[in-house]
Amino acid sequence: MTDRYASFVQSGVGRALVKRLGLPDPPQLRRHRPGDPLVPGPVLLGAAAGGRIAGPVGKLLTAAGVELRDPADVAAGTRLGALVYDATGVTDSTALRQLYDYLHPHARSVLPSGRVIVLGTAPAECATPREATAQRALEGLTRSIGKEFGRGVTAHLVYVSDTGDPGTATSLEATLRFLLSGRSAYVSGQVVRVGTGQAEPPADWDRPLDGQVVLVTGAARGIGAALARVLARDGAQVVALDIPAAGDELAAVANKIGATAVQLDLTAPDAPTRLADHLSARHGRADVVVHNAGITRDRTLGRMDVDRWDQVLDVNLSSQERINDVLLERGLIPAGGRIVSVSSIAGIAGNRGQTNYATSKAGVIGLVESLAPTLRERGISVNAVAPGFVETRLTARVPLVLREAGRRMNSLAQGGLPVDVAETISWLAWPATGAVSGNVVRVCGQSLLGA
């Protein structure tokens, strides 16, 4: 689906009208292409007094080919690809002034599609109430930057646990690589928590899923098809699953990327067992399970029949629980495995006419939050992504006025693409991201809904 307004804005006449009338100005986003540098320019790395991770971060960014600059040696106005700040030394509210002193001179110097990343300590892990208060304040700072800087610049807060844990260090590197790169083009204003856990760095960061068997449900079209392509590009052996009615489209996707195609209705009583048998016989395991399959059956609650309610809850939520139970019980998701579920901003903010859908997607978030502590003991991570307005065949059917509102009501003033959701899921699937668990990452351009 083409966003004609965004295309018009890039023309000479469009640029003039946007400036004169103060219309929404969707920037051209920097999306990932294999071989691209992580950032479009040098990175300014700063730290609060007593910060604990600026040193390790500087080393890993240098090893990744990033050109680092020191705030003391950079004049105001120098063009920068990203601002990265270690705020772990901020232990009370008065120390927040250090972030102003770092950011203020360079706020207008970040290149288009640049990044701002603040590193902190999760409030629950802070030593004192004052430290927890100051660290929680960082969320307001980064979310506001995501709405202020414009030109495709995104901002994030990353809470980092003990960097002495090898899994934490590896997962922090994976997270920074994702957030700095074009893979995160449509992700902004997020809080990511990097804890402790099993994580393995790849031999090649361009193929971070080499040797991994990845199951993708709902893979025949839209986000699922884009996801299958991105996972295969990143080195995975993809098992692409969809309902028999989508068999032709599923086969086309699978054949193009060398995947295994599985036709299966996940709501069938024997579906979990049949899927487990297939994975066991053909692959021996599923290193990553991506629960992408989902449906909508929209009606206001007062007009919704029970079948619409039951179908949506069964496909979007209950089938995930049943599949997880069987695969985990049979040991088909090994230590170091990943579960990634697709939620929605409707599950965070709600949506008129979608009580069934919003309930199911909020349940997905509950699934992730409840499973994370238990699965951590088994070396398995579980996370969710929550897409906002994404340009698919489904959103193409939305009435024009609502469609335009969905596109513009976010910090990037445009809809996302299926590949944006796929890139985020792939990052969460990497073996190097094992210490990232229990997170819900919104892929919504920092939507105003639920903000």
Side-chain angles (χ1 to χ4, degrees):
M1 181 171 56
T2 302
D3 185 344
R4 294 180 179 177
Y5 175 81
S7 299
F8 171 71
V9 163
Q10 300 304 322
S11 68
V13 174
R15 299 303 306 160
L17 283 176
V18 164
K19 186 175 182 179
R20 180 178 299 176
L21 302 178
L23 297 172
D25 187 7
Q28 289 186 310
L29 302 182
R30 172 176 60 99
R31 289 188 166 90
H32 174 72
R33 294 177 301 180
D36 282 352
L38 283 181
V39 284
V43 172
L44 189 70
L45 177 60
R52 59 183 168 82
I53 56 177
V57 167
K59 291 178 181 178
L60 71 85
L61 290 179
T62 299
V66 172
E67 178 188 352
L68 292 183
R69 299 287 181 86
D70 189 307
D73 300 326
V74 175
T78 300
R79 304 297 280 167
L80 299 164
L83 307 177
V84 178
Y85 191 80
D86 173 11
T88 58
V90 175
T91 56
D92 63 52
S93 59
T94 61
L96 290 166
R97 170 64 184 275
Q98 296 177 78
L99 282 103
Y100 171 87
D101 292 339
Y102 166 77
L103 292 164
H104 174 69
H106 307 289
R108 300 181 182 180
S109 303
V110 182
L111 290 164
S113 286
R115 304 288 187 259
V116 179
I117 299 175
V118 176
L119 307 167
T121 304
E125 299 179 12
C126 289
T128 67
R130 284 182 178 270
E131 181 183 5
T133 298
Q135 289 294 318
R136 180 60 177 80
L138 299 175
E139 292 193 31
L141 172 75
T142 50
R143 293 188 198 278
S144 296
I145 288 172
K147 296 178 178 180
E148 282 188 4
F149 279 27
R151 298 172 297 112
V153 176
T154 63
H156 301 280
L157 172 61
V158 181
Y159 284 134
V160 187
S161 292
D162 181 12
T163 49
D165 180 272
T168 300
T170 298
S171 293
L172 175 58
E173 179 174 4
T175 299
L176 289 174
R177 283 177 174 270
F178 170 71
L179 294 177
L180 288 171
S181 75
R183 296 176 186 267
S184 62
Y186 199 62
V187 181
S188 188
Q190 298 303 289
V191 178
V192 177
R193 289 169 172 79
V194 180
T196 58
Q198 184 173 334
E200 297 293 334
D204 181 356
W205 281 102
D206 288 330
R207 292 180 59 83
L209 287 167
D210 257 346
Q212 299 286 292
V213 177
V214 183
L215 169 68
V216 180
T217 68
R221 59 180 72 91
I223 290 172
L227 175 56
R229 290 191 292 268
V230 167
L231 293 168
R233 179 205 69 195
D234 284 354
Q237 173 59 55
V238 177
V239 180
L241 181 150
D242 217 310
I243 57 175
D248 290 344
E249 291 173 291
L250 180 66
V253 170
N255 290 338
K256 191 170 184 179
I257 63 172
T260 302
V262 178
Q263 297 183 29
L264 183 64
D265 180 355
L266 294 177
T267 64
D270 62 346
T273 300
R274 289 172 59 192
L275 176 58
D277 289 344
H278 174 85
L279 292 170
S280 178
R282 292 289 298 273
H283 304 282
R285 68 191 191 283
D287 298 298
V288 182
V289 175
V290 181
H291 293 293
N292 169 70
I295 62 172
T296 57
R297 298 289 186 269
D298 297 350
R299 284 288 190 278
T300 57
L301 186 59
R303 298 183 177 183
M304 184 183 298
D305 58 79
V306 69
D307 286 343
R308 289 176 183 269
W309 178 274
D310 288 345
Q311 289 171 17
V312 169
L313 268 293
D314 199 18
V315 173
N316 295 3
L317 179 58
S318 299
S319 68
Q320 294 191 22
E321 295 178 301
R322 293 192 296 266
I323 290 169
N324 287 344
D325 287 348
V326 172
L327 296 185
L328 289 168
E329 181 182 349
R330 292 179 55 170
L332 290 172
I333 305 176
R338 311 279 178 263
I339 298 173
V340 186
S341 292
V342 177
S343 180
S344 167
I345 61 169
I348 297 170
N351 201 17
R352 186 183 186 279
Q354 289 193 315
T355 52
N356 51 0
Y357 184 76
T359 299
S360 70
K361 294 303 186 178
V364 167
I365 294 172
L367 179 152
V368 165
E369 292 176 343
S370 60
L371 278 181
T374 301
L375 293 184
R376 186 175 292 114
E377 299 174 1
R378 299 174 58 170
I380 299 171
S381 72
V382 55
N383 296 282
V385 297
F389 187 95
V390 176
E391 306 280 359
T392 65
R393 288 190 294 184
L394 287 177
T395 52
R397 300 172 190 164
V398 174
L400 177 62
V401 173
L402 294 177
R403 187 164 69 240
E404 280 303 301
R407 284 169 169 161
R408 309 306 162 208
M409 291 179 63
N410 61 72
S411 297
L412 299 175
Q414 61 194 285
L417 301 179
V419 71
D420 297 321
V421 184
E423 295 282 15
T424 307
I425 292 173
S426 184
W427 158 61
L428 291 170
W430 296 352
T433 318
V436 177
S437 191
N439 285 258
V440 179
V441 181
R442 292 172 52 153
V443 187
C444 62
Q446 199 177 9
S447 173
L448 302 182
L449 296 175

